[in-house]
Amino acid sequence: MNVNESAENYLETILILSKSLPVVRSVDIANEMGFKKSSVSIAMKNLREKEHITVTDAGFIYLTDTGREIAEMIYERHQFLSAWLIQLGVDPKIALEDACKIEHVISAESFDAIKKAITLK
């Protein structure tokens, strides 16, 4: 699954919003990410074309199975890496920012190895 960082961030945001909202709309994503609605609309079109999301006639956005898989992978990495960095003594704000960067570039193999090493302690 080759997805760029921006798409991963959008998918993760949709996942997070879907946990607290009854439905997710472009305006919700724009507000959460601090982007213009027009920018979000373009991103949603791209995600729809790649079949990572579906959008109803009413504008409700849902993750497809592949979209959910990507979103959950990124979300897990973000949660795990930020908690680990905070545990290591990194300032929480910096830990969240760094985790957001790392989550997109780390390989599945390296992430799994880190997870195993940390949970064995």
Side-chain angles (χ1 to χ4, degrees), residues 34-121:
F35 296 157
K36 293 180 185 175
K37 192 169 178 305
S38 58
S39 298
V40 173
S41 293
I42 293 167
M44 294 306 102
K45 178 181 180 281
N46 292 334
L47 290 174
R48 197 171 55 248
E49 288 173 353
K50 291 179 180 170
E51 299 182 353
H52 294 313
I53 63 167
T54 58
V55 183
T56 67
D57 291 339
F60 302 153
I61 299 166
Y62 297 97
L63 295 168
T64 63
D65 289 343
T66 58
R68 179 168 298 282
E69 185 180 334
I70 295 165
E72 287 176 349
M73 173 195 66
I74 294 299
Y75 185 66
E76 176 193 16
R77 289 177 177 189
H78 184 88
Q79 295 293 102
F80 185 87
L81 293 168
S82 58
W84 179 48
L85 291 170
I86 291 168
Q87 183 182 4
L88 291 174
V90 177
D91 177 88
K93 185 177 186 302
I94 294 170
L96 290 171
E97 290 171 3
D98 287 348
C100 194
K101 294 171 190 168
I102 297 167
E103 69 194 28
H104 300 286
V105 296
I106 193 168
S107 69
E109 182 179 354
S110 292
F111 179 70
D112 288 343
I114 291 170
K115 234 172 49 170
K116 284 177 189 165
I118 292 169
T119 55
L120 292 176
K121 288 183 178 182

